[in-house]
Amino acid sequence: MAIDVSQLQERGVYESRLPLDALLQDLERIGKLQAETLAFRKKLRIGAGFVLLAGVAIAIAAAAGSSNAFGFSAFLVFALAVALFVYSFIYGRKLCKHSDRLVTMRELSKVRRQDAHAKSPFAVRLAIVGEPKLIREEAWTPRKNGKQKFFAEEFLSLEGELLDGTVLTETITELSRKRTYSNPRGKIKSKTRLRYLVTVRFAYPPDRYGDARQANDALHEEIRVPSSAAVRDTRVSEKSIVIKALVKMSPDVLQTCAMLSMGAYRILNLARRMAAKAPGQAS
Amino acid sequence: MSPSDFKCPRRAGFLFPHECDRQSPIGCTDCDNGQMNDPFAQRTDRYNYTGYDNYAGVGLAGLHHNPNDFTEADGEKLVRSKKQYEDDMTAS
């Protein structure tokens, strides 16, 4: 499937419904597009450097020859160098800003692919450019003129059916807190802290797994997560398992997704075995 | 036996066991070219979920057998049939 590059650059969002193999191909194309964009930006900066050198040479010539035409030319060349340098930061900014999100999506798809049918379609949404929504704003009293704002942005969602008929829904939300205050010199300072909320939901088929609450009670096991993460909520019902965790460091997001899923399936795998042997139940 | 007749007897999968759909164990990274008997249980990439498939010591109220026993539910019956995906016109 061809990627709508202009839409991707305009909105900074990739949305599709397709099998995971096709998704991985799309993500690879986006990765190449990002690499090409970064290479072009680098060329622009090198070009700006050469133009700047040319401007210096023309300025020296203008000073030596006392030529107004040369002087004006030097000004134009300097302006061009600055324009190229600024443009190198603007060009493809939306596409390249959160390249780590693309890596997370790609690695997550590889993990999910191991338990999904090759043709099972997954609904995917990946926001490559950040558009956080303001959740709350309040005064921050410990510092002079202190203020803090809280933002949230769900940048990744993936939903599809696994080989056992369980529907997996997972989302990753970036939570940011931006504090601004005045330091003793009167300068305005700001600090931003990021956290990631990972939510996984497994809507399992009761004919295969029975009621997972019994298995959860029998297992009585905590969901394991990396050291920088903490489980915030675990809900096991007769239809689904939902687990939420808060992650402090972005490199641990992928591992947290995998470990939350393993925690859920520790329950489900036991539930399946219990259901398989329970009287009057199908395997 | 032709390669198309090969049916891998091993359990594959990351989260739950399911049948392996490979045509041959040669080049298979899951079972390391057929050297692993149970690639699902013997995986080493589950972070600190060691013993992922081991339920020894689990309270067995209501469970009438050892939870570590391999059951028919661990095999192909667990997997949704491929035909359902082929009939699904919403897939690309």
Side-chain angles (χ1 to χ4, degrees), chain A residues 1 17-19 22 111-117 119-121 161-165 202 208-209 215 218-219 221-226 254-255 258-270 272-279 283, chain B residues 11-19 21 30 40 43 45-55 57-74 77-86 88 90-92:
Chain A
M1 186 190 287
R17 183 178 156 80
L18 71 180
V111 172
R112 299 303 176 220
R113 172 67 188 89
Q114 298 176 69
D115 296 302
H117 193 279
K119 291 183 177 176
S120 176
E161 193 177 296
L162 302 178
L163 273 166
D164 60 348
F202 293 95
R208 290 209 168 97
Y209 291 102
L219 190 61
E221 190 177 88
E222 284 192 5
I223 306 292
R224 298 173 211 174
V225 284
L254 180 71
Q255 187 181 340
M259 291 183 79
L260 293 184
S261 305
M262 284 188 278
Y265 262 92
R266 276 282 290 169
I267 300 166
L268 285 177
N269 286 334
L270 180 63
R272 190 183 70 251
R273 292 174 192 207
M274 291 168 80
K277 289 290 179 181
S283 61
Chain B
R11 300 192 303 167
F14 181 69
L15 294 175
F16 55 89
H18 49 79
E19 63 177 331
D21 58 1
D30 289 337
F40 173 75
R43 291 184 79 117
D45 58 350
R46 290 200 179 101
Y47 305 104
N48 53 353
Y49 266 100
T50 49
Y52 178 73
D53 199 37
N54 186 356
Y55 289 94
V58 171
L60 302 180
L63 188 57
H64 307 295
H65 66 108
N66 184 339
N68 283 321
D69 288 349
F70 183 90
T71 73
E72 65 272 24
D74 287 331
K77 284 185 179 178
L78 181 64
V79 178
R80 192 185 175 207
S81 75
K82 291 175 183 175
K83 194 170 183 309
Q84 289 181 59
Y85 294 106
E86 280 154 12
D88 186 356
T90 57
S92 57

Side-chain angles (χ1 to χ4, degrees), chain A residues 131-250:
Chain A
E131 282 184 7
K133 285 179 187 167
L134 181 66
I135 305 296
R136 202 170 79 238
E137 185 175 1
E138 61 191 22
W140 185 50
T141 49
R143 294 290 188 107
K144 188 184 170 189
N145 299 327
K147 201 185 277 185
Q148 57 184 1
K149 290 179 180 177
F150 297 89
F151 299 89
E153 183 198 7
E154 186 186 291
F155 70 85
L156 186 153
S157 70
L158 185 71
E159 184 174 287
E161 193 177 296
L162 302 178
L163 273 166
D164 60 348
T166 299
V167 177
L168 158 72
T169 308
E170 62 187 337
T171 59
I172 304 175
T173 305
E174 187 181 83
L175 304 170
S176 54
R177 183 192 68 191
K178 189 177 181 184
R179 283 177 170 166
T180 53
Y181 59 92
S182 300
N183 70 3
R185 291 180 178 178
K187 282 185 179 175
I188 295 172
K189 297 279 182 182
S190 71
K191 281 185 178 176
T192 304
R193 189 193 72 174
L194 297 176
R195 295 286 185 267
Y196 302 89
L197 182 67
V198 177
T199 308
V200 291
R201 180 177 188 272
F202 293 95
Y204 59 88
D207 58 328
R208 290 209 168 97
Y209 291 102
D211 189 340
R213 286 178 296 189
Q214 291 171 15
N216 185 40
D217 292 343
L219 190 61
H220 200 65
E221 190 177 88
E222 284 192 5
I223 306 292
R224 298 173 211 174
V225 284
S227 57
S228 79
V231 175
R232 284 299 175 94
D233 193 16
T234 305
R235 287 180 199 177
V236 182
S237 74
E238 72 277 22
K239 290 179 181 174
S240 65
I241 297 179
V242 182
I243 310 173
K244 291 181 182 179
L246 197 66
V247 190
K248 287 181 183 173
M249 293 158 61
S250 68

